[in-house]
Amino acid sequence: MLEKEIERKLRKRVTAMGGLCVKFESPGNAGVPDRLILLPGGIMAFVELKAPGKHERPLQRHVQDKLRELGFTVFSSVDSDAQIDRVVSWATLMVGKATRLEGLTV
């Protein structure tokens, strides 16, 4: 399976949940993840997509580690249907939590 096929499947599944799975490009900042997932309730995550068996370059791992240090969710080496399922399961859980919290006054 090609990386673009993995990307298409992920985008389709996230869109079906009412979210966005946008291409993430940051000129001048090499190594950023491929996709940004934006979900109802203000939930977001970064996703690095790969063709099966491929892995991140050291700069990509460094950027992912920095994003995690800042508190963001980052999915690495999403390269299969099983990995897409893992991302979607996380997204479903997070949207469910956000839905239960809607309407609470802070």
Side-chain angles (χ1 to χ4, degrees), residues 2-17:
L2 300 173
E3 183 176 323
K4 69 181 180 179
E5 294 174 72
I6 306 246
E7 192 170 36
R8 180 183 49 79
K9 287 181 178 185
L10 177 65
R11 196 172 59 245
K12 184 177 179 179
R13 301 258 320 259
V14 170
T15 301
M17 297 178 64

Side-chain angles (χ1 to χ4, degrees), residues 26-33 57 59-60 62-63:
S26 183
N29 295 296
V32 297
R57 298 182 319 271
L59 178 59
Q60 290 175 310
H62 172 75
V63 171

Side-chain angles (χ1 to χ4, degrees), residues 24-82:
F24 182 53
E25 296 176 351
S26 183
N29 295 296
V32 297
D34 297 312
R35 289 277 166 173
L36 180 59
I37 294 178
L38 305 169
L39 298 166
I43 299 156
M44 66 176 281
F46 295 92
V47 180
E48 180 61 42
L49 300 160
K50 292 292 177 189
K54 300 290 183 178
H55 301 284
E56 285 90 0
R57 298 182 319 271
L59 178 59
Q60 290 175 310
R61 286 193 301 271
H62 172 75
V63 171
Q64 290 173 19
D65 289 344
K66 184 64 177 171
L67 291 169
R68 287 184 184 106
E69 287 172 13
L70 293 170
F72 294 103
T73 299
V74 181
F75 292 93
S76 302
S77 295
V78 174
D79 67 352
S80 65
D81 288 334

